[in-house]
Amino acid sequence: MLRIAVLLVLGSMGAAQLPAQQFDVASVRANKSGVPRYGFSPQGNRFTATNVSLFALIQWAYEMEDFRISGAPAWMKSDHFDIAAESEGTPSIAQLRLMLQPLLADRFHLQLQRQTKELPVYELSVAKGGSKLKEGRCTGAPSPANPCGGTSGSTRGTLIGRAVSMQTMAKDLSGVLSRVVLDKTMLRGEYDFDLTWTPDETFSHGPGDPDAPAADSNGPSIFTALQEQLGLTLKPAKGLVDVLVIDRAEPPKEN
C-alpha cells in the first residue's frame, strides 16, 4: 500500500504544483485474467481501474487520445493491471486524474514529456445551411441512451450527446477520427444530438466485441452524417497539438 501526493507536473514532469488532495492508500496489481473487458470507476473518494493497460491509464490520467502518445513499448499496451486507490474527501474527476499521474510515476517509474507539434487537424464548423442541433436538456436517469451531461457511443457508428458543449463533441470526434478536432463552431450552448454514420472497418468492432456485425456499407460517412444530421462540417487544416512522449516506464512490483 502506498501514500501518494497530488502533483500537477508539466514539461519534463519534474515541476510540482498543486500539492493538495492525495491518495491515502493505493495498490497496483497485475491482471492476467486474459478477459477482454476492462474499465475505470472513479467514484467518490475511490478510484479503481480493472484489467487496464498502462497506456490506457496514461490516456485517462492526462486526457490524451492514443494517437497523441508516442514512445510506448509494446508491454505498455499488452500488460494489464488492477488499481485501487482511496483518498480523503471527495475529489472531482479532474482531481482524480491529477492524483493518478504521480501514482503512475511512482509505481511504473513513468517519465514523459509534454510537447507541442504542428499536425494535421480537423476544424469543426457550422455548415452553410445552419446548425440542426437541439438545445440541451437533462431529463430522466442517465443511461447509454440518455447520457445526461455527457456522451455515449459505439464503434459501430453512433454518438449520442445530451446537454453537452461543442468542445466535448470535438473531443469525442477526435477519438473517432484519430486526429484532433478543433471547435470552430462559435456555438457556446449545450446541445442534444444523435449522430449515426458508417464507420471505417477499423472502427467496426470494439474491445470484447469481435463478432459484431459490420456497419451498412451504404450508410453515410461521418463527414456526410455530420452535415446532413447536425448541420456541421469537418475541414482539414494544420494546428498546434499537445502530445505526450514517453521516455521511460517499467512494469511495477507487486504490493
Side-chain angles (χ1 to χ4, degrees), residues 138-152 162:
C138 282
T139 58
S143 68
N146 180 38
C148 189
T151 61
S152 65
R162 295 293 180 267

Side-chain angles (χ1 to χ4, degrees), residues 28-249:
V28 179
R29 300 182 185 278
N31 183 316
K32 299 183 180 181
S33 64
V35 300
R37 290 180 178 162
Y38 63 93
F40 295 88
S41 181
Q43 294 182 342
N45 69 333
R46 292 178 56 85
F47 170 83
T48 58
T50 305
N51 197 29
V52 177
S53 68
L54 175 56
F55 192 83
L57 288 164
I58 294 170
Q59 286 184 260
W60 194 87
Y62 291 90
E63 292 192 271
M64 286 279 183
E65 299 89 354
D66 58 356
F67 64 90
R68 290 203 282 160
I69 304 173
S70 63
W75 71 265
M76 285 183 57
K77 296 183 179 181
S78 62
D79 293 3
H80 288 209
F81 305 91
D82 295 337
I83 292 181
E86 294 185 17
S87 67
E88 295 179 356
T90 307
S92 66
I93 297 298
Q95 288 173 317
L96 286 172
R97 293 184 194 274
L98 292 176
M99 295 165 74
L100 183 57
Q101 294 175 18
L103 191 155
L104 299 181
D106 184 274
R107 295 308 313 275
F108 292 89
H109 301 289
L110 178 65
Q111 295 179 3
L112 42 76
Q113 301 177 43
R114 286 190 189 273
Q115 296 182 3
T116 301
K117 297 183 178 181
E118 186 177 58
L119 297 174
V121 300
Y122 287 116
E123 293 182 345
L124 181 68
S125 58
V126 177
K128 289 183 178 179
S131 168
K132 299 179 182 179
L133 293 165
K134 301 175 183 178
E135 182 180 351
R137 298 181 184 278
C138 282
T139 58
S143 68
N146 180 38
C148 189
T151 61
S152 65
S154 164
T155 54
R156 281 173 269 182
T158 62
L159 182 62
I160 298 169
R162 295 293 180 267
V164 297
S165 67
M166 287 297 93
Q167 289 89 342
T168 296
M169 176 190 278
K171 186 170 181 61
D172 285 346
L173 291 174
S174 297
V176 172
L177 296 164
S178 294
R179 184 182 294 190
V180 168
V181 176
L182 303 176
D183 174 31
K184 300 291 184 179
T185 62
M186 302 300 290
L187 299 174
R188 299 293 178 250
E190 294 182 337
Y191 305 92
D192 292 349
F193 59 84
D194 292 81
L195 181 66
T196 304
W197 71 95
T198 298
D200 180 271
E201 290 181 1
T202 305
F203 307 109
S204 295
H205 299 164
D209 193 19
D211 300 319
D216 179 5
S217 60
N218 296 319
S221 70
I222 191 169
F223 301 93
T224 300
L226 275 166
Q227 184 159 352
E228 292 180 348
Q229 298 169 26
L230 304 184
L232 304 174
T233 63
L234 285 171
K235 299 177 182 178
K238 288 276 191 178
L240 294 177
V241 177
D242 292 331
V243 299
L244 292 180
V245 179
I246 297 170
D247 293 327
R248 178 192 176 196

